[in-house]
């Protein structure tokens, strides 16, 4: 990559149609995992819940489909078949929509018709994933084939300590999170849930120095409190200070033409009423904003046996710890799996010419320090917990680790051990 360049990333808000679906799918997963905890199924147990939950949302309609299993009042055996408690799952979806803030004619938490089409997990898939003995230990097989990527870099550290993320996606997320917080607190009460942002960052000598363009499209009420019809200029004035506060000092473009707000005009009809939403359609928003590769699979609605999710978290964890250890300024890690096989097919480390140790050495050391089997990933990162709905908006990476185990893959507790191992 050139030393001097522009790079653009986008984000979408919690009220974006696709993100509504991601959050519903992950809220259903959390409900299953919360029940596991009540049953005493710990992080060290062989996993109980299996879920692949997909959601579609359109005008006052939500469809929840997929497959799963578990000892849960949400999903119980009826003879030889697994039967879903449709009322309980429908209520989970309504609660998510209500929390986001949808109470509109075309999409509301109380008015939406909800169809639940979840069914039992295929025994052919279950057979490959169920734990098998290997060298005296039981190991679950990977829930699917595919390749996953993890990435970390130092470029945002001067602005946001501990994020280890590319600046464009980090600040695209932050703009929308600030606007959502102000909408929920009623300080920007004329905003509605659906929104998108796009940030173009200028790099000089490979370092981010400011924004050349900022785009925000945000749903809003048709009229202001004094009964004036909203124009894009009025919306720009409404949100300008909040957007500026989300960026480092001096980063906000000074020219009005470089801060674009609702460039198509009005944005009154939005959310699933304006555009159909689907789970898993914002995978670049979920990861690195296009700054680093992404594997073939989405995250939301998938339990930890599905390596699309858990191995992507593990790869991020290792890449972040390599960078936190001071062994590289940028690090990409790829892992690949075959369905039903515990150990990865391959592990690749790329430090993009910034490494202080040979990549081949890292490729040998990292899997020894952190076994990349689904069972070890799940247990070490404590992924059996109901921590997933919070990941489904504003990115799965660059977040702070939480006391209940949320965003455990963002910890840097392995950095010292990696540093010692490569000496």
């Amino acid at each position: 990559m050139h030393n001097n360049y522009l790079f653009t990333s986008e984000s979408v808000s919690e009220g974006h149609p696709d993100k509504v679906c991601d959050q519903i799918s992950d809220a259903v997963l959390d409900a299953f995992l919360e029940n596991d905890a009540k049953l005493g199924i710990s992080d060290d147990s062989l996993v109980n819940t299996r879920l692949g939950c997909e959601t579609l949302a359109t005008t006052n309609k939500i469809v929840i489909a997929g497959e799963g299993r578990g000892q849960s009042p949400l999903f119980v055996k009826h003879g030889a078949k697994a039967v879903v408690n449709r009322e309980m799952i429908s209520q989970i979806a309504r609660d998510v929509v209500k929390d986001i803030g949808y109470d509109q004619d075309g999409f509301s938490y109380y008015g939406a018709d909800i169809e639940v089409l979840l069914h039992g997990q295929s025994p052919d898939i279950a057979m490959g994933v169920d734990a098998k003995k290997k060298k005296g230990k039981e190991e679950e097989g990977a829930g699917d084939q595919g390749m996953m990527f993890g990435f970390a870099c130092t470029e945002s550290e001067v602005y946001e300590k501990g994020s280890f993320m590319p600046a464009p996606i980090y600040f695209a997320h932050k703009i929308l999170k600030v606007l959502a917080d102000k909408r929920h607190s009623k300080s920007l009460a004329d905003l509605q849930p659906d929104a998108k942002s796009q940030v173009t960052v200028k790099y000089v000598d490979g370092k981010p120095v400011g924004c050349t363009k900022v785009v925000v499209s945000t749903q809003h009420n048709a009229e202001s409190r004094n009964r004036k019809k909203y124009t894009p200029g009025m919306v720009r004035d409404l949100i300008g200070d909040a957007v500026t506060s989300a960026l480092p000092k001096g980063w906000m473009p000074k020219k009005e033409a470089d801060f674009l707000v609702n460039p198509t005009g009005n944005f009154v009809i939005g959310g699933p009423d304006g555009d159909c939403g689907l789970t898993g359609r914002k995978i670049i928003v979920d990861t690195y904003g296009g700054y680093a590769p992404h594997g073939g699979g989405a995250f939301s609605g998938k339990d930890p046996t599905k390596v699309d999710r858990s191995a992507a978290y593990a790869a991020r964890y290792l890449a972040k710890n390599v960078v936190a250890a001071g062994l590289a300024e940028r690090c990409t890690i790829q892992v690949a799996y075959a369905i039903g096989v515990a150990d990865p097919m391959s592990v690749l480390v790329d430090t993009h010419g910034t490494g202080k140790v040979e990549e081949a050495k890292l490729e040998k050391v990292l899997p020894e320090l952190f076994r990349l089997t689904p069972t070890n990933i799940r247990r070490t990162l404590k992924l059996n917990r109901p921590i997933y709905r919070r990941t489904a908006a504003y990115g799965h990476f660059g977040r702070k680790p939480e006391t209940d185990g949320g965003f455990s893959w963002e910890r840097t507790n392995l950095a010292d051990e990696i540093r010692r191992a490569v000496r």
Side-chain angles (χ1 to χ4, degrees), residues 23-33 51 53 55 64 74 89 92-93 96 118:
Q23 289 170 88
I24 291 172
S25 292
D26 272 339
V28 173
L29 174 60
D30 281 350
F32 276 83
L33 293 171
L51 191 69
C53 181
T55 304
I64 302 170
L74 294 163
I89 291 177
I92 290 168
V96 169
L118 284 168

Side-chain angles (χ1 to χ4, degrees), residues 97-98 100-111 192-193:
V97 174
K98 184 177 182 180
I100 293 168
Y102 275 113
D103 184 10
Q104 302 168 1
D105 290 340
F107 194 71
S108 70
Y109 66 93
Y110 59 86
Q192 290 293 321

Side-chain angles (χ1 to χ4, degrees), residues 287-344:
T287 54
Y288 308 104
Y291 202 88
H294 189 290
F299 300 155
S300 289
K302 296 179 180 179
D303 73 82
T305 67
K306 294 172 175 60
V307 285
D308 281 338
R309 179 171 221 160
S310 57
Y313 290 171
R316 160 66 177 178
Y317 175 63
L318 292 178
K320 185 171 182 178
N321 276 272
V322 167
V323 175
L327 301 177
E329 292 182 11
R330 298 175 68 206
C331 181
T332 300
I333 294 177
Q334 188 210 47
V335 291
Y337 293 84
I339 188 168
V341 180
D343 289 307

Side-chain angles (χ1 to χ4, degrees), residues 137-149:
K137 293 184 179 180
E138 288 188 302
E139 289 279 6
E140 296 147 341
D144 203 351
Q145 72 171 46
M147 72 286 186
M148 301 84 210
F149 291 90

Side-chain angles (χ1 to χ4, degrees), residues 2-206:
H2 305 298
N3 282 332
N4 302 320
Y5 56 93
L6 303 178
F7 195 90
T8 302
S9 292
E10 72 158 348
S11 180
V12 298
S13 73
E14 65 201 56
H16 185 279
D18 297 329
K19 282 290 148 200
V20 172
C21 294
D22 284 346
Q23 289 170 88
I24 291 172
S25 292
D26 272 339
V28 173
L29 174 60
D30 281 350
F32 276 83
L33 293 171
E34 190 171 1
N35 189 72
D36 282 356
K38 291 176 182 176
L39 293 172
I41 299 171
S42 68
D43 294 312
D44 291 332
S45 303
L46 291 174
V47 71
N48 178 49
T49 283
R50 302 275 174 79
L51 191 69
C53 181
E54 311 290 344
T55 304
L56 175 148
T58 186
T59 302
N60 272 332
K61 180 75 175 181
I62 297 170
V63 179
I64 302 170
E67 49 81 27
R69 78 173 193 194
Q71 299 174 37
S72 170
L74 294 163
F75 207 69
V76 296
K77 281 191 174 182
H78 183 72
K81 292 185 177 181
V83 178
V84 171
N85 187 323
R86 289 174 172 81
E87 287 186 7
M88 291 181 71
I89 291 177
S90 295
Q91 189 59 49
I92 290 168
R94 292 191 195 282
D95 290 344
V96 169
V97 174
K98 184 177 182 180
D99 288 346
I100 293 168
Y102 275 113
D103 184 10
Q104 302 168 1
D105 290 340
F107 194 71
S108 70
Y109 66 93
Y110 59 86
D113 176 57
I114 300 177
E115 194 170 356
V116 179
L117 303 175
L118 284 168
H119 59 79
Q121 184 180 45
S122 161
D124 293 342
I125 294 175
M127 181 173 59
V129 178
D130 285 342
K132 303 175 185 65
K133 286 213 171 202
K134 184 176 180 181
K135 295 180 180 179
K137 293 184 179 180
E138 288 188 302
E139 289 279 6
E140 296 147 341
D144 203 351
Q145 72 171 46
M147 72 286 186
M148 301 84 210
F149 291 90
F151 178 76
C153 62
T154 59
E155 67 176 46
S156 62
E157 286 305 282
V158 67
Y159 306 107
E160 298 289 340
K161 191 74 173 171
S163 67
F164 292 97
M165 286 290 284
I169 187 64
Y170 185 87
F171 290 111
H173 286 322
K174 191 172 180 183
I175 285 170
L176 294 182
K177 186 64 169 65
V178 168
L179 291 177
D181 289 345
K182 290 183 177 295
R183 174 176 62 85
H184 284 297
S185 71
K186 307 298 184 185
S187 61
L188 288 177
D190 282 346
L191 297 186
Q192 290 293 321
D194 195 359
K196 300 178 78 171
S197 67
Q198 187 170 283
V199 173
T200 300
V201 173
K202 181 179 181 180
Y203 286 77
V204 176
D205 293 329

